[in-house]
Amino acid sequence: MRVLVTGGAGFIGANFVQQTVHERPEVDVTVLDALTYAGDRRSLDPVADRITFVEGSITDAALVDRLVGESDLVVHFAAESHNDNSLDDPSPFVQTNLIGTFTLLEAVRKHGVRFHHISTDEVYGDLELDDPDRFTPETPYNPSSPYSSTKAGSDLLVRAWVRSFGLQATISNCSNNYGPYQHVEKFIPRQITNLIDGVRPKLYGAGLNVRDWIHVEDHNAAVWAIVDKGRAGETYLIGADGEKDNLGVVRTLLEIFGREPDDFEHVNDRPGHDLRYAIDASKLREELGWTPRYTDFRAGLEATVEWYRANEDWWRPRKAAVEAKYAAQGQ
Ligand code: NAD
Ligand code: DAU
């Protein structure tokens, strides 16, 4: 099987490529990645001699057409992924998340290639802290930020291509991932690398916002379960019952680093900050038999801390610029 992985030099995509090479040696992997600020070829170093890497954009119709025409399956991770950046400049989000997904859809339609679209739980908006409900595939779309609205738009394009053109496609909407190779702009790596540097973690607002954490390897195992056994045209929600408020995550990290529980700073909140995400993944569990392996969040976090301690060369070059950008916003 020949698989084209878009965004394979990013956080989740690079973990997906590494897992695929190790667990499915029969799969022939090609990565298409534009190597934006978020992409890093070094994340693919452990498998570099076993994959084909193409530097280019998913908005390049001729390139996409050629690569899709040589594939049996496309797994589409490429995106602008950071909410804070989308508040600063939405333009690349519209280009990559909407135009890029459209460009891929036209190519898979032409060549009759199976397509899996990676999306986010943020398309459903947010929940109150005390809401007994969680997101399901039937929850109405209600995105809040330029990032989540472009992801919602890309999901709707996929659904329309399924209905109108009979595309063989599936969609997954996953909650917040953590694990190795995540960019230091994101919450958990930012706090881990701050703590390694002896800097206090930074909490947006009161820190009461809730995210539903899942280890990146569990996300990627679910993606393969959907590709292998999912029904075309269906949407599957991926989550591992990992709801935690941001303050709780920071306190766990402080404990891992042997620091006092209140040794953090409150900084400016994110405008429009979604309060809570929570996933009901029963369709994925019951229909496809998927279960997460990383059920102990603290243990997963400790392993992630160890990875950042051991891979300072990987994250250090980006840290100062990320912190300068946050500092300019009072964050
Ligand atoms: P990331 O920002 O770490 O990586 C994105 C990758 O896409 C980078 O390698 C970047 O170079 C590449 N890219 C960006 N624009 C491109 C373009 N025009 N053409 C080709 N490549 C391009 O993102 P991530 O956290 O790994 O997220 C991957 C996917 O998973 C995204 O679609 C995101 O919406 C989705 N998702 C992320 C999370 C999460 O917690 N990180 C949760 C649910 C869903
Ligand atoms: O829910 C899935 C989404 O999770 C993905 O679609 C996105 O691509 C991914 O970036 C993530 O979005 P969030 O906005 O939830 O992630 P982020 O890491 O930016 O922030 C997580 C929470 O932590 C959020 O409530 C904001 C808060 N935060 C973030 C940073 C960077 C802080 O309190 N302090 C910080 O320094």
Side-chain angles (χ1 to χ4, degrees):
M1 183 197 262
R2 298 163 305 168
V3 182
L4 179 64
V5 180
T6 72
F11 163 46
I12 306 175
N15 278 283
F16 179 84
V17 171
Q18 289 202 30
Q19 271 172 260
T20 300
V21 168
H22 291 130
E23 291 164 16
R24 298 183 178 231
E26 72 285 4
V27 173
D28 190 355
V29 178
T30 296
V31 169
L32 172 60
D33 196 295
L35 296 179
T36 67
Y37 83 96
D40 193 333
R41 265 195 91 152
R42 296 174 308 155
S43 306
L44 294 168
D45 277 353
V47 294
D49 55 349
R50 295 171 66 186
I51 62 166
T52 304
F53 183 86
V54 179
E55 183 176 346
S57 175
I58 56 168
T59 59
D60 179 340
L63 176 63
V64 164
D65 182 72
R66 177 171 70 75
L67 295 174
V68 168
E70 295 166 356
S71 307
D72 305 302
L73 164 72
V74 175
V75 184
H76 174 35
F77 291 93
E80 285 292 334
S81 70
H82 194 38
N83 275 297
D84 292 321
N85 293 343
S86 81
L87 299 167
D88 200 32
D89 178 10
S91 168
F93 290 76
V94 171
Q95 286 303 322
T96 289
N97 301 358
L98 287 169
I99 307 294
T101 301
F102 161 74
T103 306
L104 284 161
L105 286 171
E106 284 295 79
V108 291
R109 171 157 86 105
K110 176 175 160 194
H111 294 285
V113 170
R114 168 88 169 83
F115 187 69
H116 182 72
H117 180 62
I118 304 291
S119 192
T120 168
D121 59 357
E122 295 194 18
V123 299
Y124 300 114
D126 60 354
L127 298 161
E128 294 299 326
L129 293 180
D130 60 356
D131 191 332
D133 288 338
R134 299 186 291 170
F135 298 140
T136 73
E138 285 72 45
T139 304
Y141 274 39
N142 186 27
S144 313
S145 71
Y147 162 66
S148 53
S149 61
T150 56
K151 290 299 291 188
S154 69
D155 293 10
L156 297 182
L157 291 175
V158 178
R159 288 184 182 195
W161 263 241
V162 167
R163 170 126 181 198
S164 305
F165 307 121
L167 207 76
Q168 293 293 297
T170 39
I171 299 176
S172 54
N173 297 82
C174 189
S175 58
N176 286 63
N177 286 219
Y178 73 99
Y181 299 103
Q182 188 169 27
H183 196 282
V184 287
E185 70 188 354
K186 301 295 198 303
F187 178 53
I188 287 180
R190 183 180 185 206
Q191 314 314 332
I192 291 174
T193 52
N194 276 350
L195 284 161
I196 290 173
D197 282 348
V199 172
R200 299 167 92 193
K202 318 276 186 197
L203 267 181
Y204 290 0
L208 300 180
N209 304 60
V210 170
R211 296 295 182 264
D212 191 351
W213 292 99
I214 182 172
H215 194 277
V216 64
E217 283 180 27
D218 284 331
H219 179 179
N220 286 328
V223 170
W224 269 117
I226 296 165
V227 169
D228 288 339
K229 297 181 273 184
R231 286 176 290 137
E234 292 290 313
T235 291
Y236 294 88
L237 268 56
I238 306 176
D241 301 331
E243 282 188 70
K244 307 265 177 289
D245 65 28
N246 295 338
L247 177 58
V249 174
V250 158
R251 288 225 160 105
T252 306
L253 285 172
L254 285 165
E255 206 177 280
I256 291 170
F257 278 84
R259 302 262 289 259
E260 292 301 313
D262 287 333
D263 200 6
F264 61 83
E265 245 177 78
H266 291 287
V267 295
N268 286 344
D269 207 349
R270 172 185 287 170
H273 195 174
D274 279 343
L275 191 51
R276 172 176 163 240
Y277 308 136
I279 291 269
D280 175 350
S282 42
K283 177 173 171 181
L284 177 70
R285 287 174 184 262
E286 288 161 19
E287 206 178 285
L288 306 185
W290 171 88
T291 48
R293 283 180 50 232
Y294 289 82
T295 48
D296 179 341
F297 179 67
R298 189 190 157 112
L301 215 47
E302 278 171 353
T304 305
V305 168
E306 279 318 304
W307 189 88
Y308 280 89
R309 281 193 199 280
N311 290 278
E312 189 168 336
D313 288 356
W314 183 86
W315 58 265
R316 176 63 71 194
R318 290 172 166 156
K319 180 68 177 165
V322 164
E323 289 307 322
K325 194 168 170 192
Y326 278 128
Q329 296 165 170
Q331 292 179 318

